[in-house]
Amino acid sequence: MTLILKASELQALADMPGTIAAVERVFAGLSRGTAVQPAPDSLLLPSSDARFLPMAALSGAEELASVKLLADIPANRESSLPTQRSTIMLVSQLTGETLAILDGKVPTRVRTAAASAVATKLLARPASTTLGLIGAGALAVTHVEAMLAVLPIENVVVWSRSADTVAAFCSEISHYGLNITRASSVRDVVESADVLCTLTPAVEPLVRGEWFKPGLHVNAVGSRPRADHREIDSAGMVRARVFVDSLPTARAKSGALIIPVAEGAMTFEDVAAELGDVVTGTRAGRQGDDDVTLFNSVGIGLQDLAIGRLLYRAALKRGVGTRVALNN
């Protein structure tokens, strides 16, 4: 039987600490060779700016194969529709049975923040107390929850183009008892932060490397997986020690990396490590308090596999979802 799980059902099943641990585990599996993560292809037609990305993954430790089909359709904004939609399929690595089909909205948001938390735990200064956020939507709310799981965050400095979005964000996180500052500019956020998360679908850079102070850690999260989109300028990438979730994926999909390489400002060999290699200790993370570290988060299928397994098991335990016999 296959379990179908809707977004509304998944929201109640999401567990941030469990997801952080699961994402860290699959990153380690990628480093050790017990998991497989091919770079995703982009499917596109010359008549449209839409992209369709099948994001596949396989893990022996999790005994799962998965694929998420991500639809990235910027034109949806004109119709007040989501610009990104996705569906995740989980398949038993042992039997080939389709175990579950999940709406991708909640899993993607939570696993993305969890990956930032893994990077932050490994790369940020342990005493970091001020979180800076560029963007104040749902992903920002989830990142606050994730950062609190790994650091003693006391202060949040946030910027968004929309005052209404910032107000809603402040209301959403008010129960944490944090000191919240509404910044007047992106630069103010960058210069205030110990840990900076950029969470916007920017095409052109919003963040400049000249604003980076010694000791900063950056999670560059928001830009679409396209070679010409980025939030961080070339100077920022050169200034930082750069870490990625998967180098083949970043080389194919990350404008933040592809553009400065094309400009000659850096090379792909300048990437310090994949995050999984830092998890397993085969490559160094932060080397000193003055290092600027940057996690270039493109997003990989193993993250979807990790959270998909957690959500599937939680749904079975709680009796949530709709069972369908697909092979009847």
Side-chain angles (χ1 to χ4, degrees):
M1 298 288 282
T2 302
L3 192 63
I4 311 296
L5 291 163
K6 302 183 296 184
S8 57
E9 294 167 328
L10 292 167
Q11 184 66 51
L13 299 174
D15 166 29
M16 183 59 74
T19 305
I20 293 169
V23 167
E24 184 169 359
R25 192 165 57 244
V26 295
F27 277 137
L30 184 59
S31 175
R32 294 182 177 124
T34 60
V36 177
Q37 178 58 71
D41 288 324
S42 280
L43 310 178
L44 65 154
L45 297 169
S47 58
S48 171
D49 187 39
R51 302 288 190 277
F52 293 83
L53 285 77
M55 299 172 64
L58 176 65
S59 171
E62 307 298 323
E63 297 183 346
L64 277 181
S66 70
V67 61
K68 178 170 76 174
L69 182 60
L70 170 64
D72 179 31
I73 308 177
N76 272 0
R77 185 176 292 108
E78 299 168 8
S79 304
S80 299
L81 295 172
T83 59
Q84 291 192 337
R85 288 169 160 165
S86 59
T87 303
I88 300 168
M89 182 173 69
L90 303 178
V91 173
S92 168
Q93 179 247 333
L94 301 177
T95 69
E97 178 188 3
T98 300
L99 301 175
I101 297 173
L102 297 73
D103 181 81
K105 180 174 66 173
V106 172
T108 299
R109 185 174 70 239
V110 176
R111 64 77 153 159
T112 299
S116 294
V118 173
T120 300
K121 183 178 79 168
L122 295 169
L123 302 174
R125 290 175 292 129
S128 298
T129 58
T130 299
L131 173 64
L133 300 171
I134 309 299
L139 194 55
V141 174
T142 312
H143 267 75
V144 172
E145 180 185 3
M147 294 301 110
L148 286 171
V150 297
L151 283 178
I153 298 297
E154 299 173 357
N155 314 297
V156 174
V157 184
V158 60
W159 175 90
S160 171
R161 288 190 175 94
S162 167
D164 289 343
T165 302
V166 173
F169 165 81
C170 292
S171 177
E172 282 281 327
I173 69 163
S174 60
H175 62 286
Y176 291 121
L178 300 167
N179 303 312
I180 305 172
T181 301
R182 306 182 190 195
S184 59
S185 70
V186 172
R187 181 172 184 168
D188 287 345
V189 177
V190 177
E191 293 182 341
S192 299
D194 297 319
V195 174
L196 174 70
C197 300
T198 63
L199 308 168
T200 72
V203 177
E204 298 295 331
L206 291 172
V207 174
R208 300 186 179 279
E210 65 191 63
W211 303 335
F212 290 176
K213 67 181 183 181
L216 177 66
H217 172 66
V218 182
N219 297 306
V221 177
S223 283
R224 289 182 167 84
R226 299 189 180 205
D228 57 349
H229 289 203
R230 58 177 176 165
E231 297 176 287
I232 313 293
D233 71 357
S234 296
M237 299 297 286
V238 172
R239 171 80 174 82
R241 296 189 70 235
V242 176
F243 300 80
V244 298
D245 37 26
S246 161
L247 187 56
T249 298
R251 290 181 66 146
K253 304 299 177 191
S254 173
L257 187 58
I258 292 167
I259 294 171
V261 169
E263 293 172 346
M266 64 182 295
T267 69
F268 291 118
E269 287 69 33
D270 291 325
V271 172
E274 291 187 346
L275 196 57
D277 292 335
V278 184
V279 173
T280 59
T282 58
R283 300 289 289 273
R286 173 175 291 274
Q287 296 179 318
D289 283 348
D290 287 344
D291 279 357
V292 174
T293 53
L294 187 150
F295 174 50
N296 182 34
S297 175
V298 183
I300 56 175
L302 276 169
Q303 295 166 243
D304 301 308
L305 184 151
I307 190 171
R309 179 177 181 269
L310 288 180
L311 293 169
Y312 171 65
R313 289 190 169 183
L316 290 178
K317 184 176 181 179
R318 299 189 196 181
V320 174
T322 302
R323 291 179 175 274
V324 177
L326 293 180
N327 59 351
N328 278 0

